[in-house]
Amino acid sequence: MSKKLSRTAIALAVALAAPSAWSAGFQVSEHSASGLGRAYAGDAAIADNASVIGRNPAQMTMFKEAQLSTALHIVDPEIDITDTSNNQKASDVAPMQFVPATYYVSPINDKWAWGVGLYTVYGVATDYPDAFEAGDVAGDTSLASVNLNPSIAYRLNEQVSFGAGINAVYAIAELNRHIGALAPTFESDNFSEKLISMEGDTWGFGWNVGALFELDKDNRFGIAYRSEVELDFSGDFTDHQGSITGTKGQVVTGDLSVPLPAVAELSGFHQLNPSLAVHYSMMWSQWSSFTELKATSAQCTSDGVQGVCFDKQEDYESVFRWSLGTTYDISEDWTVRTGFAFDEKAGKSTLSIPDSDRYWFSAGATYRYSPSLTFDAGVTYIASKSGTFTETSLTGERTFSAKGAAYIGAMQANYSF
């Protein structure tokens, strides 16, 4: 390889690295501790606490008094990546994350209710060693988002309720890539030297609607839809080696648009007897809308095209998530629950998001401290399929193998006024 890389080649490396940092290829389901304990089965129909806002706002009509719910999830992934082409391993590349959420629901009268939720719907974080040989397609990546979701619900009659809300999503992202095995090309002996960096934040807006159908007090169905949210990022792009902007270390303003996919969910809840209930959900996510990742700046030139920092076609498809759970009342004070879910892989695996089909095994409980105060807890073990994938680094095509699992725990308090 020549001592001076072409701008096209560097742009390709950035494009390969960027999707996981900017596209939120990992959808965050962790909205409530009670939901976690049943693998979120039936969440669009159960209506057991104020976190219903996060799944189906129509359920707010089932509340007879105001309620505040606060939850905290701890997500601990254990993902190991091996560069089989060079017998190099990176262990535990996804750091532990804390995911908070808060909800408030209040009935207005016997027909109307309102509420507001503050929670996250998309997020990802991976962190490889700075000296990882494939540094131009690894490095560190993070995306955090928070969704402010004011909602209102209306009861049409004893069987049918409708709800709607507005989603205001704030997202912040950061990405760093390193020269790795390209060090000799840049006349450096430091694999940890940075190649490119990107950081930025933005607001995006969308909406959600839902309906609840109560056949009777023991059987109901919920359906909900959350619109696509377009994130138009504007932030700093740093070309540490000068191969895209023409100036080493130059910082320019880059613009990038990313769609967060629309989501639809159908749930059912059935109280089989005074103690035992079963519930289930089918969730669809429109990842097929994510077809391209393109960053632009007047100071960038990619493949001879002025104004383009990078442009990469994506390979994502719409997917389903299936879940089934049970709830059992042990006594007036204690309720226990279990759940299982199958979460389909959305897109091609990358070093930033080594995605795969996932299997959820969940359990949880609720303790009623008083008529107005309850506590929820949930735990989940997520098993993912091991697999291999390829990435085209500037040093050539590399093959990687990925294996891992994740452990999630959550606590939640619910207070009724």
Side-chain angles (χ1 to χ4, degrees):
M1 183 177 291
S2 65
K3 293 292 184 180
K4 187 172 183 179
L5 297 176
S6 70
R7 293 179 179 178
T8 301
I10 290 290
L12 176 60
V14 177
L16 288 169
S20 298
W22 295 90
S23 72
F26 178 74
Q27 189 172 22
V28 178
S29 297
E30 289 74 25
H31 294 163
S32 70
S34 55
L36 180 69
R38 55 178 176 260
Y40 300 102
D43 263 25
I46 288 183
D48 52 358
N49 56 63
S51 66
V52 300
I53 296 172
R55 305 306 278 256
N56 181 4
Q59 297 176 95
M60 294 190 297
T61 62
M62 297 192 68
F63 287 76
K64 304 304 180 184
E65 54 190 357
Q67 185 175 100
L68 175 69
S69 295
T70 61
L72 178 65
H73 290 72
I74 301 175
V75 183
D76 185 16
E78 293 185 354
I79 301 174
D80 297 333
I81 303 294
T82 301
D83 181 354
T84 57
S85 301
N86 295 275
N87 195 28
Q88 179 186 206
K89 183 177 181 179
S91 300
D92 203 12
V93 299
M96 181 184 295
Q97 300 292 315
F98 295 88
V99 185
T102 300
Y103 310 89
Y104 177 76
V105 170
S106 179
I108 299 173
N109 52 40
D110 59 353
K111 290 287 188 180
W112 291 91
W114 73 277
V116 62
L118 189 66
Y119 54 98
T120 186
V121 287
Y122 295 93
V124 65
T126 52
D127 189 0
Y128 288 81
D130 290 351
F132 195 66
E133 189 172 330
D136 58 317
V137 287
D140 58 272
T141 300
S142 67
L143 169 69
S145 70
V146 62
N147 182 33
L148 179 64
N149 185 198
S151 303
I152 194 165
Y154 174 71
R155 179 176 288 279
L156 181 64
N157 53 45
E158 291 185 358
Q159 282 75 44
V160 181
S161 296
F162 298 102
I166 296 172
N167 295 289
V169 180
Y170 175 72
I172 184 169
E174 182 177 358
L175 169 148
N176 291 287
R177 294 294 180 261
H178 305 273
I179 61 176
L182 297 170
T185 303
F186 292 107
E187 300 180 348
S188 172
D189 58 1
N190 182 8
F191 277 29
S192 301
E193 190 174 337
K194 287 185 178 180
L195 180 65
I196 61 98
S197 298
M198 295 185 69
E199 59 180 12
D201 62 346
T202 189
W203 282 91
F205 298 91
W207 50 271
N208 63 297
V209 295
L212 185 69
F213 305 93
E214 302 173 64
L215 299 182
D216 53 44
K217 65 182 183 64
D218 295 326
N219 299 277
R220 54 185 176 268
F221 299 93
I223 186 169
Y225 178 83
R226 184 179 301 276
S227 75
E228 178 180 294
V229 174
E230 188 79 16
L231 295 180
D232 294 319
F233 283 97
S234 182
D236 292 335
F237 172 85
T238 304
D239 182 6
H240 294 283
Q241 303 303 322
S243 297
I244 296 177
T245 63
T247 303
K248 187 173 183 178
Q250 184 172 0
V251 180
V252 302
T253 298
D255 297 316
L256 181 144
S257 295
V258 177
L260 301 181
V263 176
E265 182 173 6
L266 175 64
S267 297
F269 172 85
H270 307 284
Q271 191 74 43
L272 302 182
N273 59 48
S275 298
L276 179 65
V278 297
H279 27 83
Y280 45 87
S281 288
M282 176 184 68
M283 178 183 288
W284 170 81
S285 298
Q286 194 182 14
W287 280 109
S288 59
S289 65
F290 179 46
T291 61
E292 181 187 47
L293 191 75
K294 184 176 183 179
T296 60
S297 173
Q299 288 79 29
C300 290
T301 299
S302 173
D303 201 16
V305 180
Q306 175 67 33
V308 177
C309 297
F310 57 80
D311 187 0
K312 180 177 182 292
Q313 299 300 306
E314 291 299 330
D315 186 18
Y316 275 65
E317 59 184 18
S318 298
V319 295
F320 285 92
R321 183 182 190 275
W322 312 84
S323 56
L324 174 66
T326 62
T327 298
Y328 185 76
D329 293 323
I330 297 176
S331 65
E332 292 184 357
D333 296 331
W334 284 96
T335 296
V336 295
R337 54 184 63 89
T338 60
F340 170 79
F342 172 62
D343 207 352
E344 290 182 341
K345 175 181 177 180
K348 177 183 178 293
S349 290
T350 68
L351 287 172
S352 297
I353 303 180
D355 199 7
S356 70
D357 293 338
R358 295 176 292 274
Y359 303 89
W360 293 52
F361 303 90
S362 303
T366 295
Y367 173 63
R368 297 173 185 84
Y369 178 80
S370 70
S372 60
L373 181 61
T374 63
F375 297 96
D376 301 314
V379 293
T380 289
Y381 169 71
I382 301 178
S384 62
K385 287 184 177 180
S386 299
T388 61
F389 59 94
T390 60
E391 290 253 31
T392 304
S393 166
L394 289 175
T395 57
E397 187 174 276
R398 292 169 176 261
T399 300
F400 299 90
S401 65
K403 65 176 182 178
Y407 305 88
I408 306 175
M411 295 289 294
Q412 180 173 324
N414 312 290
Y415 184 76
S416 299
F417 300 87

Short mmCIF file of all heavy atoms in Angstrom, two decimals, residues 166-206:
data_model
loop_
_atom_site.label_atom_id
_atom_site.label_comp_id
_atom_site.label_asym_id
_atom_site.label_seq_id
_atom_site.Cartn_x
_atom_site.Cartn_y
_atom_site.Cartn_z
N ILE A 166 -46.84 12.62 21.44
CA ILE A 166 -45.78 13.25 20.66
C ILE A 166 -44.44 12.79 21.21
O ILE A 166 -44.26 12.71 22.44
CB ILE A 166 -45.88 14.79 20.74
CG1 ILE A 166 -47.19 15.27 20.11
CG2 ILE A 166 -44.69 15.45 20.05
CD1 ILE A 166 -47.46 16.74 20.32
N ASN A 167 -43.50 12.47 20.33
CA ASN A 167 -42.17 12.04 20.73
C ASN A 167 -41.14 13.10 20.36
O ASN A 167 -40.98 13.42 19.18
CB ASN A 167 -41.80 10.72 20.06
CG ASN A 167 -42.69 9.59 20.52
OD1 ASN A 167 -42.61 9.14 21.64
ND2 ASN A 167 -43.56 9.13 19.63
N ALA A 168 -40.47 13.64 21.37
CA ALA A 168 -39.36 14.57 21.16
C ALA A 168 -38.09 13.84 21.58
O ALA A 168 -37.87 13.60 22.77
CB ALA A 168 -39.56 15.84 21.97
N VAL A 169 -37.27 13.46 20.62
CA VAL A 169 -36.08 12.63 20.86
C VAL A 169 -34.82 13.49 20.77
O VAL A 169 -34.58 14.14 19.75
CB VAL A 169 -35.99 11.47 19.84
CG1 VAL A 169 -34.75 10.64 20.10
CG2 VAL A 169 -37.24 10.61 19.90
N TYR A 170 -34.07 13.49 21.86
CA TYR A 170 -32.76 14.15 21.85
C TYR A 170 -31.69 13.06 21.79
O TYR A 170 -31.71 12.12 22.59
CB TYR A 170 -32.56 15.01 23.09
CG TYR A 170 -31.17 15.61 23.18
CD1 TYR A 170 -30.78 16.64 22.33
CD2 TYR A 170 -30.23 15.13 24.10
CE1 TYR A 170 -29.51 17.19 22.38
CE2 TYR A 170 -28.96 15.67 24.17
CZ TYR A 170 -28.61 16.70 23.32
OH TYR A 170 -27.34 17.23 23.39
N ALA A 171 -30.77 13.19 20.85
CA ALA A 171 -29.74 12.16 20.66
C ALA A 171 -28.36 12.82 20.61
O ALA A 171 -28.19 13.91 20.05
CB ALA A 171 -29.99 11.37 19.38
N ILE A 172 -27.38 12.14 21.19
CA ILE A 172 -26.00 12.59 21.16
C ILE A 172 -25.13 11.39 20.82
O ILE A 172 -25.34 10.29 21.33
CB ILE A 172 -25.59 13.24 22.50
CG1 ILE A 172 -24.16 13.78 22.41
CG2 ILE A 172 -25.78 12.28 23.67
CD1 ILE A 172 -23.80 14.66 23.59
N ALA A 173 -24.17 11.60 19.93
CA ALA A 173 -23.35 10.49 19.45
C ALA A 173 -21.89 10.91 19.37
O ALA A 173 -21.56 12.08 19.15
CB ALA A 173 -23.84 10.02 18.08
N GLU A 174 -21.01 9.92 19.54
CA GLU A 174 -19.57 10.16 19.41
C GLU A 174 -18.91 8.91 18.84
O GLU A 174 -19.29 7.78 19.17
CB GLU A 174 -18.96 10.49 20.77
CG GLU A 174 -17.46 10.80 20.69
CD GLU A 174 -16.89 11.20 22.03
OE1 GLU A 174 -17.65 11.29 23.02
OE2 GLU A 174 -15.65 11.44 22.10
N LEU A 175 -17.90 9.12 17.99
CA LEU A 175 -17.19 8.03 17.35
C LEU A 175 -15.72 8.39 17.23
O LEU A 175 -15.38 9.53 16.91
CB LEU A 175 -17.79 7.76 15.97
CG LEU A 175 -17.07 6.83 14.99
CD1 LEU A 175 -18.08 6.10 14.12
CD2 LEU A 175 -16.11 7.62 14.09
N ASN A 176 -14.86 7.43 17.51
CA ASN A 176 -13.42 7.58 17.28
C ASN A 176 -12.89 6.33 16.59
O ASN A 176 -13.27 5.21 16.96
CB ASN A 176 -12.67 7.80 18.59
CG ASN A 176 -12.97 9.13 19.24
OD1 ASN A 176 -12.53 10.17 18.77
ND2 ASN A 176 -13.76 9.10 20.31
N ARG A 177 -12.03 6.51 15.60
CA ARG A 177 -11.38 5.40 14.94
C ARG A 177 -9.87 5.64 14.96
O ARG A 177 -9.41 6.79 14.99
CB ARG A 177 -11.88 5.23 13.50
CG ARG A 177 -13.35 4.84 13.42
CD ARG A 177 -13.61 3.46 13.99
NE ARG A 177 -15.02 3.07 13.93
CZ ARG A 177 -15.85 3.16 14.95
NH1 ARG A 177 -15.43 3.65 16.10
NH2 ARG A 177 -17.10 2.76 14.82
N HIS A 178 -9.10 4.54 14.96
CA HIS A 178 -7.64 4.62 15.10
C HIS A 178 -6.96 4.00 13.88
O HIS A 178 -7.56 3.23 13.14
CB HIS A 178 -7.21 3.90 16.39
CG HIS A 178 -7.91 4.44 17.60
ND1 HIS A 178 -7.45 5.50 18.32
CD2 HIS A 178 -9.07 4.06 18.21
CE1 HIS A 178 -8.27 5.75 19.32
NE2 HIS A 178 -9.26 4.90 19.27
N ILE A 179 -5.70 4.33 13.69
CA ILE A 179 -5.02 3.87 12.47
C ILE A 179 -4.66 2.39 12.53
O ILE A 179 -4.53 1.74 11.49
CB ILE A 179 -3.75 4.71 12.18
CG1 ILE A 179 -2.74 4.61 13.33
CG2 ILE A 179 -4.12 6.16 11.93
CD1 ILE A 179 -1.44 5.34 13.05
N GLY A 180 -4.51 1.80 13.72
CA GLY A 180 -4.25 0.38 13.85
C GLY A 180 -3.11 -0.08 12.95
O GLY A 180 -2.01 0.47 12.96
N ALA A 181 -3.41 -1.11 12.14
CA ALA A 181 -2.39 -1.68 11.26
C ALA A 181 -1.96 -0.74 10.15
O ALA A 181 -1.01 -1.02 9.41
CB ALA A 181 -2.92 -2.98 10.67
N LEU A 182 -2.63 0.41 10.03
CA LEU A 182 -2.24 1.39 9.03
C LEU A 182 -1.09 2.27 9.50
O LEU A 182 -0.65 3.17 8.77
CB LEU A 182 -3.44 2.30 8.70
CG LEU A 182 -4.66 1.62 8.07
CD1 LEU A 182 -5.82 2.59 8.04
CD2 LEU A 182 -4.32 1.12 6.69
N ALA A 183 -0.59 2.04 10.71
CA ALA A 183 0.46 2.88 11.28
C ALA A 183 1.65 3.08 10.32
O ALA A 183 2.09 4.23 10.12
CB ALA A 183 0.93 2.31 12.61
N PRO A 184 2.19 2.03 9.69
CA PRO A 184 3.32 2.25 8.76
C PRO A 184 2.95 3.16 7.58
O PRO A 184 3.79 3.92 7.08
CB PRO A 184 3.67 0.84 8.29
CG PRO A 184 3.16 -0.06 9.36
CD PRO A 184 1.91 0.60 9.85
N THR A 185 1.68 3.08 7.16
CA THR A 185 1.24 3.92 6.05
C THR A 185 1.32 5.40 6.40
O THR A 185 1.63 6.24 5.56
CB THR A 185 -0.21 3.55 5.67
OG1 THR A 185 -0.27 2.17 5.35
CG2 THR A 185 -0.71 4.37 4.50
N PHE A 186 1.04 5.69 7.67
CA PHE A 186 1.10 7.08 8.12
C PHE A 186 2.45 7.41 8.77
O PHE A 186 2.57 8.39 9.49
CB PHE A 186 -0.04 7.35 9.10
CG PHE A 186 -1.40 7.32 8.47
CD1 PHE A 186 -2.26 6.25 8.71
CD2 PHE A 186 -1.81 8.33 7.63
CE1 PHE A 186 -3.52 6.22 8.13
CE2 PHE A 186 -3.07 8.30 7.05
CZ PHE A 186 -3.93 7.24 7.29
N GLU A 187 3.44 6.54 8.52
CA GLU A 187 4.78 6.73 9.05
C GLU A 187 4.75 6.92 10.56
O GLU A 187 5.36 7.84 11.12
CB GLU A 187 5.46 7.93 8.36
CG GLU A 187 5.59 7.74 6.86
CD GLU A 187 6.26 8.92 6.17
OE1 GLU A 187 6.41 9.96 6.84
OE2 GLU A 187 6.62 8.80 4.99
N SER A 188 4.02 6.03 11.20
CA SER A 188 3.87 6.08 12.65
C SER A 188 4.08 4.68 13.21
O SER A 188 3.84 3.67 12.52
CB SER A 188 2.48 6.59 13.04
OG SER A 188 2.26 6.48 14.43
N ASP A 189 4.55 4.60 14.45
CA ASP A 189 4.66 3.31 15.12
C ASP A 189 3.64 3.18 16.24
O ASP A 189 3.73 2.32 17.10
CB ASP A 189 6.08 3.11 15.68
CG ASP A 189 6.49 4.22 16.66
OD1 ASP A 189 5.67 5.14 16.90
OD2 ASP A 189 7.63 4.17 17.16
N ASN A 190 2.63 4.07 16.23
CA ASN A 190 1.61 4.11 17.29
C ASN A 190 0.27 3.67 16.73
O ASN A 190 -0.42 4.44 16.05
CB ASN A 190 1.52 5.52 17.86
CG ASN A 190 0.53 5.62 19.00
OD1 ASN A 190 -0.01 4.61 19.47
ND2 ASN A 190 0.28 6.84 19.46
N PHE A 191 -0.13 2.41 17.00
CA PHE A 191 -1.41 1.90 16.53
C PHE A 191 -2.59 2.69 17.10
O PHE A 191 -3.68 2.69 16.54
CB PHE A 191 -1.57 0.42 16.92
CG PHE A 191 -0.90 -0.53 15.97
CD1 PHE A 191 0.24 -0.16 15.26
CD2 PHE A 191 -1.40 -1.81 15.81
CE1 PHE A 191 0.86 -1.04 14.39
CE2 PHE A 191 -0.79 -2.72 14.94
CZ PHE A 191 0.35 -2.33 14.23
N SER A 192 -2.38 3.36 18.25
CA SER A 192 -3.48 4.05 18.94
C SER A 192 -3.76 5.44 18.37
O SER A 192 -4.73 6.08 18.77
CB SER A 192 -3.15 4.18 20.43
OG SER A 192 -2.95 2.92 21.01
N GLU A 193 -2.95 5.91 17.45
CA GLU A 193 -3.15 7.25 16.89
C GLU A 193 -4.50 7.31 16.18
O GLU A 193 -4.90 6.39 15.47
CB GLU A 193 -2.02 7.57 15.92
CG GLU A 193 -1.99 9.02 15.46
CD GLU A 193 -0.77 9.32 14.61
OE1 GLU A 193 0.24 8.57 14.73
OE2 GLU A 193 -0.84 10.27 13.82
N LYS A 194 -5.21 8.41 16.36
CA LYS A 194 -6.56 8.53 15.81
C LYS A 194 -6.54 8.71 14.29
O LYS A 194 -5.65 9.36 13.74
CB LYS A 194 -7.31 9.69 16.46
CG LYS A 194 -7.75 9.40 17.89
CD LYS A 194 -8.59 10.54 18.44
CE LYS A 194 -9.07 10.23 19.85
NZ LYS A 194 -9.89 11.32 20.41
N LEU A 195 -7.55 8.14 13.66
CA LEU A 195 -7.77 8.29 12.23
C LEU A 195 -8.82 9.37 11.96
O LEU A 195 -8.55 10.37 11.29
CB LEU A 195 -8.21 6.97 11.62
CG LEU A 195 -8.48 6.95 10.12
CD1 LEU A 195 -7.21 7.21 9.34
CD2 LEU A 195 -9.10 5.61 9.71
N ILE A 196 -10.02 9.17 12.51
CA ILE A 196 -11.08 10.18 12.39
C ILE A 196 -11.87 10.20 13.70
O ILE A 196 -11.86 9.25 14.48
CB ILE A 196 -12.02 9.92 11.21
CG1 ILE A 196 -12.74 8.56 11.36
CG2 ILE A 196 -11.28 9.97 9.88
CD1 ILE A 196 -14.13 8.67 11.94
N SER A 197 -12.57 11.30 13.91
CA SER A 197 -13.49 11.43 15.04
C SER A 197 -14.75 12.14 14.56
O SER A 197 -14.69 12.99 13.66
CB SER A 197 -12.88 12.23 16.19
OG SER A 197 -11.74 11.60 16.71
N MET A 198 -15.88 11.79 15.16
CA MET A 198 -17.13 12.49 14.88
C MET A 198 -17.90 12.63 16.18
O MET A 198 -17.90 11.73 17.02
CB MET A 198 -17.98 11.70 13.87
CG MET A 198 -17.37 11.58 12.49
SD MET A 198 -18.50 10.77 11.31
CE MET A 198 -19.76 12.02 11.15
N GLU A 199 -18.56 13.75 16.35
CA GLU A 199 -19.45 13.94 17.49
C GLU A 199 -20.50 14.97 17.13
O GLU A 199 -20.25 15.89 16.35
CB GLU A 199 -18.69 14.37 18.73
CG GLU A 199 -17.92 15.66 18.60
CD GLU A 199 -17.18 16.03 19.86
OE1 GLU A 199 -17.09 15.16 20.75
OE2 GLU A 199 -16.71 17.17 19.97
N GLY A 200 -21.70 14.77 17.66
CA GLY A 200 -22.78 15.69 17.35
C GLY A 200 -24.03 15.37 18.15
O GLY A 200 -24.11 14.32 18.80
N ASP A 201 -25.00 16.26 18.11
CA ASP A 201 -26.27 16.03 18.78
C ASP A 201 -27.39 16.64 17.95
O ASP A 201 -27.16 17.43 17.03
CB ASP A 201 -26.27 16.60 20.20
CG ASP A 201 -26.07 18.12 20.21
OD1 ASP A 201 -25.67 18.68 19.17
OD2 ASP A 201 -26.31 18.74 21.25
N THR A 202 -28.61 16.25 18.28
CA THR A 202 -29.76 16.73 17.50
C THR A 202 -31.05 16.43 18.22
O THR A 202 -31.10 15.62 19.16
CB THR A 202 -29.79 16.07 16.11
OG1 THR A 202 -30.79 16.71 15.30
CG2 THR A 202 -30.12 14.59 16.21
N TRP A 203 -32.11 17.07 17.78
CA TRP A 203 -33.48 16.76 18.20
C TRP A 203 -34.23 16.20 16.99
O TRP A 203 -34.04 16.65 15.86
CB TRP A 203 -34.21 18.01 18.68
CG TRP A 203 -33.85 18.45 20.07
CD1 TRP A 203 -32.86 19.33 20.41
CD2 TRP A 203 -34.48 18.05 21.27
NE1 TRP A 203 -32.84 19.50 21.79
CE2 TRP A 203 -33.82 18.72 22.34
CE3 TRP A 203 -35.52 17.18 21.58
CZ2 TRP A 203 -34.18 18.56 23.67
CZ3 TRP A 203 -35.89 17.01 22.91
CH2 TRP A 203 -35.22 17.69 23.94
N GLY A 204 -35.08 15.20 17.25
CA GLY A 204 -35.97 14.67 16.23
C GLY A 204 -37.37 14.53 16.81
O GLY A 204 -37.54 14.36 18.02
N PHE A 205 -38.38 14.59 15.95
CA PHE A 205 -39.77 14.58 16.44
C PHE A 205 -40.61 13.56 15.68
O PHE A 205 -40.43 13.36 14.47
CB PHE A 205 -40.39 15.98 16.30
CG PHE A 205 -39.68 17.02 17.12
CD1 PHE A 205 -38.63 17.75 16.57
CD2 PHE A 205 -40.03 17.25 18.43
CE1 PHE A 205 -37.96 18.71 17.32
CE2 PHE A 205 -39.37 18.19 19.20
CZ PHE A 205 -38.33 18.93 18.65
N GLY A 206 -41.52 12.93 16.40
CA GLY A 206 -42.43 11.95 15.81
C GLY A 206 -43.69 11.87 16.63
O GLY A 206 -43.98 12.73 17.48
#
